[in-house]
Amino acid sequence: MASQKILLPALTAQDLPYSGRWLAGVDEVGRGPLIGSVVAAAVILDPDQPIDGLMDSKKLSEKKRERLAEQIREQSLAWALGEASVAEIDQLNILHASLLAMQRAIDQLDPAAEFVLVDGNRLPPHMTQAGLAVVQGDARHAAISAASILAKVYRDQQMLALHQQHPDYGLDRHKGYPTAVHLAAIEQHGLLDAHRRSFGPVKRWLAAHG
């Protein structure tokens, strides 16, 4: 029988070694797709303007996510996006490119964060702020969830724009993930410049087709 994922409890103020106003949540989107950049967002929420519905970001419909993204941009004390390109993903590997995208988002916050919560199990190596890596962070802290939503909406928009240029690949539906539809499109139409050459299915296509 498949094991069930154990959900970790939400983080409270008492769980954090920081009690100030300038706490940023950081998350990335796009580690799994075969195409496009990896995108990260950093968000400092306004504690005086809480936003309902953030903690279930993975369960949101596309329309709800877009509405929340607009609310986050309007009501946050600060927010920023960062990304790492396909070339950087292929050069560095997806983990280090993801950390780079996170660092770029953090660096662009204005005003700057004093403390950073990062989704996952490691912090970007060049952070100057104190911070905490939070496993399942997008379901455990509203600021990380907000960052997840902004990053997801932005990357989905990138995929829709790429779909307009190359409609044969179905990017509007699978957003670049290695679905059967996407793999069949690569087999039929070949690779785009935006495909990640270091990823297994793309490498295998290149090995087969030269």
Side-chain angles (χ1 to χ4, degrees), residues 163-185:
H163 171 72
Q164 296 297 320
Q165 300 172 45
H166 305 283
D168 293 333
Y169 291 80
L171 295 168
D172 59 327
R173 289 175 285 155
H174 55 66
K175 305 300 191 293
Y177 284 88
T179 64
V181 169
H182 192 182
L183 296 175

PDB file of all heavy atoms in Angstrom, residues 163-185:
ATOM      1  N   HIS A 163       3.357  29.044 -25.567  1.00  0.00           N
ATOM      2  CA  HIS A 163       2.335  28.303 -26.304  1.00  0.00           C
ATOM      3  C   HIS A 163       1.827  29.103 -27.506  1.00  0.00           C
ATOM      4  O   HIS A 163       1.572  28.525 -28.571  1.00  0.00           O
ATOM      5  CB  HIS A 163       1.170  27.963 -25.376  1.00  0.00           C
ATOM      6  CG  HIS A 163      -0.021  27.397 -26.086  1.00  0.00           C
ATOM      7  ND1 HIS A 163      -0.047  26.116 -26.618  1.00  0.00           N
ATOM      8  CD2 HIS A 163      -1.233  27.946 -26.395  1.00  0.00           C
ATOM      9  CE1 HIS A 163      -1.217  25.908 -27.202  1.00  0.00           C
ATOM     10  NE2 HIS A 163      -1.945  27.003 -27.079  1.00  0.00           N
ATOM     11  N   GLN A 164       1.688  30.400 -27.336  1.00  0.00           N
ATOM     12  CA  GLN A 164       1.240  31.233 -28.459  1.00  0.00           C
ATOM     13  C   GLN A 164       2.221  31.158 -29.627  1.00  0.00           C
ATOM     14  O   GLN A 164       1.823  31.189 -30.795  1.00  0.00           O
ATOM     15  CB  GLN A 164       1.083  32.694 -28.003  1.00  0.00           C
ATOM     16  CG  GLN A 164       0.013  32.912 -26.956  1.00  0.00           C
ATOM     17  CD  GLN A 164      -1.384  32.559 -27.449  1.00  0.00           C
ATOM     18  OE1 GLN A 164      -1.739  32.838 -28.586  1.00  0.00           O
ATOM     19  NE2 GLN A 164      -2.168  31.917 -26.595  1.00  0.00           N
ATOM     20  N   GLN A 165       3.494  31.046 -29.322  1.00  0.00           N
ATOM     21  CA  GLN A 165       4.519  30.953 -30.365  1.00  0.00           C
ATOM     22  C   GLN A 165       4.628  29.540 -30.935  1.00  0.00           C
ATOM     23  O   GLN A 165       4.954  29.375 -32.123  1.00  0.00           O
ATOM     24  CB  GLN A 165       5.874  31.364 -29.788  1.00  0.00           C
ATOM     25  CG  GLN A 165       5.942  32.779 -29.250  1.00  0.00           C
ATOM     26  CD  GLN A 165       7.245  33.038 -28.526  1.00  0.00           C
ATOM     27  OE1 GLN A 165       8.326  32.681 -28.991  1.00  0.00           O
ATOM     28  NE2 GLN A 165       7.161  33.661 -27.353  1.00  0.00           N
ATOM     29  N   HIS A 166       4.376  28.541 -30.106  1.00  0.00           N
ATOM     30  CA  HIS A 166       4.575  27.142 -30.513  1.00  0.00           C
ATOM     31  C   HIS A 166       3.383  26.306 -30.041  1.00  0.00           C
ATOM     32  O   HIS A 166       3.499  25.495 -29.107  1.00  0.00           O
ATOM     33  CB  HIS A 166       5.872  26.597 -29.914  1.00  0.00           C
ATOM     34  CG  HIS A 166       7.082  27.415 -30.239  1.00  0.00           C
ATOM     35  ND1 HIS A 166       7.702  27.367 -31.469  1.00  0.00           N
ATOM     36  CD2 HIS A 166       7.764  28.328 -29.488  1.00  0.00           C
ATOM     37  CE1 HIS A 166       8.737  28.195 -31.465  1.00  0.00           C
ATOM     38  NE2 HIS A 166       8.796  28.778 -30.284  1.00  0.00           N
ATOM     39  N   PRO A 167       2.233  26.439 -30.676  1.00  0.00           N
ATOM     40  CA  PRO A 167       1.008  25.790 -30.176  1.00  0.00           C
ATOM     41  C   PRO A 167       1.010  24.269 -30.289  1.00  0.00           C
ATOM     42  O   PRO A 167       0.162  23.617 -29.671  1.00  0.00           O
ATOM     43  CB  PRO A 167      -0.093  26.408 -31.054  1.00  0.00           C
ATOM     44  CG  PRO A 167       0.608  26.903 -32.271  1.00  0.00           C
ATOM     45  CD  PRO A 167       1.969  27.316 -31.838  1.00  0.00           C
ATOM     46  N   ASP A 168       1.945  23.688 -31.026  1.00  0.00           N
ATOM     47  CA  ASP A 168       1.936  22.237 -31.236  1.00  0.00           C
ATOM     48  C   ASP A 168       2.358  21.439 -30.000  1.00  0.00           C
ATOM     49  O   ASP A 168       2.232  20.207 -29.996  1.00  0.00           O
ATOM     50  CB  ASP A 168       2.865  21.853 -32.402  1.00  0.00           C
ATOM     51  CG  ASP A 168       2.356  22.363 -33.731  1.00  0.00           C
ATOM     52  OD1 ASP A 168       1.125  22.531 -33.872  1.00  0.00           O
ATOM     53  OD2 ASP A 168       3.184  22.608 -34.635  1.00  0.00           O
ATOM     54  N   TYR A 169       2.873  22.103 -28.984  1.00  0.00           N
ATOM     55  CA  TYR A 169       3.444  21.384 -27.844  1.00  0.00           C
ATOM     56  C   TYR A 169       2.494  21.253 -26.653  1.00  0.00           C
ATOM     57  O   TYR A 169       2.818  20.581 -25.679  1.00  0.00           O
ATOM     58  CB  TYR A 169       4.754  22.050 -27.397  1.00  0.00           C
ATOM     59  CG  TYR A 169       5.866  21.870 -28.399  1.00  0.00           C
ATOM     60  CD1 TYR A 169       5.934  22.666 -29.531  1.00  0.00           C
ATOM     61  CD2 TYR A 169       6.839  20.889 -28.238  1.00  0.00           C
ATOM     62  CE1 TYR A 169       6.940  22.503 -30.472  1.00  0.00           C
ATOM     63  CE2 TYR A 169       7.849  20.704 -29.166  1.00  0.00           C
ATOM     64  CZ  TYR A 169       7.887  21.518 -30.291  1.00  0.00           C
ATOM     65  OH  TYR A 169       8.883  21.340 -31.222  1.00  0.00           O
ATOM     66  N   GLY A 170       1.360  21.915 -26.689  1.00  0.00           N
ATOM     67  CA  GLY A 170       0.389  21.791 -25.591  1.00  0.00           C
ATOM     68  C   GLY A 170       0.817  22.433 -24.289  1.00  0.00           C
ATOM     69  O   GLY A 170       0.362  22.033 -23.219  1.00  0.00           O
ATOM     70  N   LEU A 171       1.668  23.434 -24.369  1.00  0.00           N
ATOM     71  CA  LEU A 171       2.206  24.048 -23.158  1.00  0.00           C
ATOM     72  C   LEU A 171       1.145  24.756 -22.319  1.00  0.00           C
ATOM     73  O   LEU A 171       1.327  24.951 -21.125  1.00  0.00           O
ATOM     74  CB  LEU A 171       3.322  25.035 -23.522  1.00  0.00           C
ATOM     75  CG  LEU A 171       4.568  24.412 -24.157  1.00  0.00           C
ATOM     76  CD1 LEU A 171       5.466  25.486 -24.743  1.00  0.00           C
ATOM     77  CD2 LEU A 171       5.323  23.580 -23.139  1.00  0.00           C
ATOM     78  N   ASP A 172       0.044  25.134 -22.954  1.00  0.00           N
ATOM     79  CA  ASP A 172      -1.032  25.779 -22.202  1.00  0.00           C
ATOM     80  C   ASP A 172      -1.703  24.804 -21.240  1.00  0.00           C
ATOM     81  O   ASP A 172      -2.314  25.228 -20.254  1.00  0.00           O
ATOM     82  CB  ASP A 172      -2.074  26.375 -23.154  1.00  0.00           C
ATOM     83  CG  ASP A 172      -2.691  25.324 -24.073  1.00  0.00           C
ATOM     84  OD1 ASP A 172      -1.991  24.358 -24.462  1.00  0.00           O
ATOM     85  OD2 ASP A 172      -3.872  25.483 -24.428  1.00  0.00           O
ATOM     86  N   ARG A 173      -1.563  23.513 -21.499  1.00  0.00           N
ATOM     87  CA  ARG A 173      -2.201  22.498 -20.656  1.00  0.00           C
ATOM     88  C   ARG A 173      -1.228  21.919 -19.621  1.00  0.00           C
ATOM     89  O   ARG A 173      -1.531  21.880 -18.443  1.00  0.00           O
ATOM     90  CB  ARG A 173      -2.775  21.378 -21.515  1.00  0.00           C
ATOM     91  CG  ARG A 173      -4.017  21.800 -22.308  1.00  0.00           C
ATOM     92  CD  ARG A 173      -4.472  20.700 -23.234  1.00  0.00           C
ATOM     93  NE  ARG A 173      -3.577  20.589 -24.399  1.00  0.00           N
ATOM     94  CZ  ARG A 173      -3.415  19.485 -25.119  1.00  0.00           C
ATOM     95  NH1 ARG A 173      -4.077  18.391 -24.793  1.00  0.00           N
ATOM     96  NH2 ARG A 173      -2.613  19.474 -26.167  1.00  0.00           N
ATOM     97  N   HIS A 174      -0.086  21.467 -20.059  1.00  0.00           N
ATOM     98  CA  HIS A 174       0.817  20.769 -19.125  1.00  0.00           C
ATOM     99  C   HIS A 174       1.905  21.667 -18.550  1.00  0.00           C
ATOM    100  O   HIS A 174       2.646  21.248 -17.661  1.00  0.00           O
ATOM    101  CB  HIS A 174       1.451  19.540 -19.793  1.00  0.00           C
ATOM    102  CG  HIS A 174       2.157  19.835 -21.080  1.00  0.00           C
ATOM    103  ND1 HIS A 174       3.295  20.600 -21.147  1.00  0.00           N
ATOM    104  CD2 HIS A 174       1.874  19.468 -22.361  1.00  0.00           C
ATOM    105  CE1 HIS A 174       3.704  20.668 -22.409  1.00  0.00           C
ATOM    106  NE2 HIS A 174       2.856  20.003 -23.164  1.00  0.00           N
ATOM    107  N   LYS A 175       2.019  22.907 -19.051  1.00  0.00           N
ATOM    108  CA  LYS A 175       2.967  23.905 -18.512  1.00  0.00           C
ATOM    109  C   LYS A 175       4.417  23.412 -18.532  1.00  0.00           C
ATOM    110  O   LYS A 175       5.237  23.833 -17.711  1.00  0.00           O
ATOM    111  CB  LYS A 175       2.571  24.301 -17.081  1.00  0.00           C
ATOM    112  CG  LYS A 175       1.129  24.799 -16.934  1.00  0.00           C
ATOM    113  CD  LYS A 175       0.848  26.031 -17.769  1.00  0.00           C
ATOM    114  CE  LYS A 175      -0.487  26.691 -17.442  1.00  0.00           C
ATOM    115  NZ  LYS A 175      -1.665  25.883 -17.803  1.00  0.00           N
ATOM    116  N   GLY A 176       4.709  22.518 -19.471  1.00  0.00           N
ATOM    117  CA  GLY A 176       6.089  22.098 -19.645  1.00  0.00           C
ATOM    118  C   GLY A 176       6.483  20.834 -18.923  1.00  0.00           C
ATOM    119  O   GLY A 176       7.617  20.354 -19.077  1.00  0.00           O
ATOM    120  N   TYR A 177       5.596  20.275 -18.118  1.00  0.00           N
ATOM    121  CA  TYR A 177       5.930  19.035 -17.410  1.00  0.00           C
ATOM    122  C   TYR A 177       6.003  17.857 -18.392  1.00  0.00           C
ATOM    123  O   TYR A 177       5.420  17.905 -19.482  1.00  0.00           O
ATOM    124  CB  TYR A 177       4.907  18.770 -16.297  1.00  0.00           C
ATOM    125  CG  TYR A 177       5.133  19.659 -15.097  1.00  0.00           C
ATOM    126  CD1 TYR A 177       4.543  20.923 -15.019  1.00  0.00           C
ATOM    127  CD2 TYR A 177       5.972  19.252 -14.066  1.00  0.00           C
ATOM    128  CE1 TYR A 177       4.786  21.746 -13.929  1.00  0.00           C
ATOM    129  CE2 TYR A 177       6.207  20.069 -12.960  1.00  0.00           C
ATOM    130  CZ  TYR A 177       5.615  21.320 -12.908  1.00  0.00           C
ATOM    131  OH  TYR A 177       5.871  22.139 -11.840  1.00  0.00           O
ATOM    132  N   PRO A 178       6.714  16.794 -18.020  1.00  0.00           N
ATOM    133  CA  PRO A 178       6.943  15.685 -18.951  1.00  0.00           C
ATOM    134  C   PRO A 178       5.744  14.745 -19.077  1.00  0.00           C
ATOM    135  O   PRO A 178       5.830  13.555 -18.780  1.00  0.00           O
ATOM    136  CB  PRO A 178       8.160  14.973 -18.362  1.00  0.00           C
ATOM    137  CG  PRO A 178       8.088  15.259 -16.895  1.00  0.00           C
ATOM    138  CD  PRO A 178       7.525  16.647 -16.789  1.00  0.00           C
ATOM    139  N   THR A 179       4.635  15.275 -19.535  1.00  0.00           N
ATOM    140  CA  THR A 179       3.445  14.461 -19.763  1.00  0.00           C
ATOM    141  C   THR A 179       3.593  13.685 -21.074  1.00  0.00           C
ATOM    142  O   THR A 179       4.468  13.976 -21.894  1.00  0.00           O
ATOM    143  CB  THR A 179       2.200  15.350 -19.851  1.00  0.00           C
ATOM    144  OG1 THR A 179       2.334  16.206 -20.996  1.00  0.00           O
ATOM    145  CG2 THR A 179       2.028  16.199 -18.604  1.00  0.00           C
ATOM    146  N   ALA A 180       2.706  12.723 -21.272  1.00  0.00           N
ATOM    147  CA  ALA A 180       2.716  11.961 -22.526  1.00  0.00           C
ATOM    148  C   ALA A 180       2.506  12.888 -23.727  1.00  0.00           C
ATOM    149  O   ALA A 180       3.130  12.707 -24.785  1.00  0.00           O
ATOM    150  CB  ALA A 180       1.634  10.887 -22.483  1.00  0.00           C
ATOM    151  N   VAL A 181       1.632  13.873 -23.576  1.00  0.00           N
ATOM    152  CA  VAL A 181       1.374  14.827 -24.662  1.00  0.00           C
ATOM    153  C   VAL A 181       2.641  15.601 -25.008  1.00  0.00           C
ATOM    154  O   VAL A 181       2.982  15.777 -26.179  1.00  0.00           O
ATOM    155  CB  VAL A 181       0.240  15.799 -24.260  1.00  0.00           C
ATOM    156  CG1 VAL A 181       0.133  16.962 -25.239  1.00  0.00           C
ATOM    157  CG2 VAL A 181      -1.093  15.048 -24.190  1.00  0.00           C
ATOM    158  N   HIS A 182       3.359  16.059 -23.995  1.00  0.00           N
ATOM    159  CA  HIS A 182       4.579  16.831 -24.225  1.00  0.00           C
ATOM    160  C   HIS A 182       5.659  15.973 -24.870  1.00  0.00           C
ATOM    161  O   HIS A 182       6.317  16.382 -25.837  1.00  0.00           O
ATOM    162  CB  HIS A 182       5.075  17.405 -22.891  1.00  0.00           C
ATOM    163  CG  HIS A 182       6.149  18.438 -23.038  1.00  0.00           C
ATOM    164  ND1 HIS A 182       6.758  19.036 -21.956  1.00  0.00           N
ATOM    165  CD2 HIS A 182       6.735  18.992 -24.132  1.00  0.00           C
ATOM    166  CE1 HIS A 182       7.658  19.905 -22.379  1.00  0.00           C
ATOM    167  NE2 HIS A 182       7.667  19.883 -23.695  1.00  0.00           N
ATOM    168  N   LEU A 183       5.836  14.764 -24.362  1.00  0.00           N
ATOM    169  CA  LEU A 183       6.860  13.879 -24.917  1.00  0.00           C
ATOM    170  C   LEU A 183       6.545  13.511 -26.360  1.00  0.00           C
ATOM    171  O   LEU A 183       7.448  13.440 -27.208  1.00  0.00           O
ATOM    172  CB  LEU A 183       6.997  12.630 -24.048  1.00  0.00           C
ATOM    173  CG  LEU A 183       7.481  12.866 -22.610  1.00  0.00           C
ATOM    174  CD1 LEU A 183       7.461  11.568 -21.824  1.00  0.00           C
ATOM    175  CD2 LEU A 183       8.866  13.487 -22.602  1.00  0.00           C
ATOM    176  N   ALA A 184       5.269  13.288 -26.659  1.00  0.00           N
ATOM    177  CA  ALA A 184       4.875  12.973 -28.036  1.00  0.00           C
ATOM    178  C   ALA A 184       5.128  14.168 -28.953  1.00  0.00           C
ATOM    179  O   ALA A 184       5.540  13.996 -30.111  1.00  0.00           O
ATOM    180  CB  ALA A 184       3.399  12.576 -28.074  1.00  0.00           C
ATOM    181  N   ALA A 185       4.904  15.382 -28.452  1.00  0.00           N
ATOM    182  CA  ALA A 185       5.140  16.579 -29.258  1.00  0.00           C
ATOM    183  C   ALA A 185       6.621  16.758 -29.555  1.00  0.00           C
ATOM    184  O   ALA A 185       7.000  17.134 -30.675  1.00  0.00           O
ATOM    185  CB  ALA A 185       4.591  17.810 -28.534  1.00  0.00           C
TER     186      ALA A 185
END
